[in-house]
Amino acid sequence: MAPTLSHGDRLLCHYGARVRAGSVVVAQHPLRQDLLVVKRAVERRAAGWWLLSDNSGVESDSRDYGPVPDDLILGRVLLRYTPKPAWLAPPPWCHGALRVMPYGMARRLGDFRRA
């Protein structure tokens, strides 16, 4: 998930939370269900969620194993709390404020919807 997340980052997850397109999620790997993966939910398809890594060079995502069924999506990542705290899913009440901030600051607070 580089550059958003790095190996060793500690995350706060909301298990059972509703997943939306753009959310960073924790899921069981469809081919190795003992392995947990952290990916970005890109779109909802008939067979499940299409999950991609933020790092396009990584091949272990839905381009490799297809859509991930809903029952394998465990929850949504809310924030990274160490080593450098950052919101990955800011609460809905602050979205308006994030839209008027400079993009670099809004991105550090978790607003990834703007290009």
Side-chain angles (χ1 to χ4, degrees):
M1 283 295 294
T4 306
L5 298 171
S6 300
H7 182 71
D9 286 356
R10 296 193 183 258
L11 309 172
L12 178 66
C13 302
H14 182 183
Y15 283 90
R18 187 174 65 119
V19 176
R20 297 182 295 246
S23 298
V24 178
V25 298
V26 175
Q28 291 176 304
H29 193 287
L31 306 176
R32 292 184 45 206
Q33 293 184 6
D34 60 326
L35 178 66
L36 296 179
V37 296
V38 177
K39 302 289 179 189
R40 189 171 302 277
V42 176
E43 66 182 10
R44 181 75 178 88
R45 297 189 176 185
W49 280 95
W50 191 259
L51 303 181
L52 294 177
S53 176
D54 285 357
N55 183 350
S56 61
V58 172
E59 294 180 4
S60 182
D61 55 23
S62 286
R63 294 172 290 184
D64 184 34
Y65 46 73
V68 176
D70 288 332
D71 58 334
L72 295 182
I73 306 292
L74 301 177
R76 187 175 58 180
V77 176
L78 299 177
L79 61 93
R80 174 184 59 220
Y81 61 89
T82 63
K84 187 176 177 186
W87 279 100
L88 297 176
W93 53 265
C94 72
H95 287 242
L98 290 171
R99 286 200 178 101
V100 297
M101 285 183 184
Y103 177 69
M105 181 181 297
R107 185 172 170 89
R108 281 194 298 270
L109 294 173
D111 187 15
F112 295 98
R113 292 171 297 169
R114 295 190 283 172

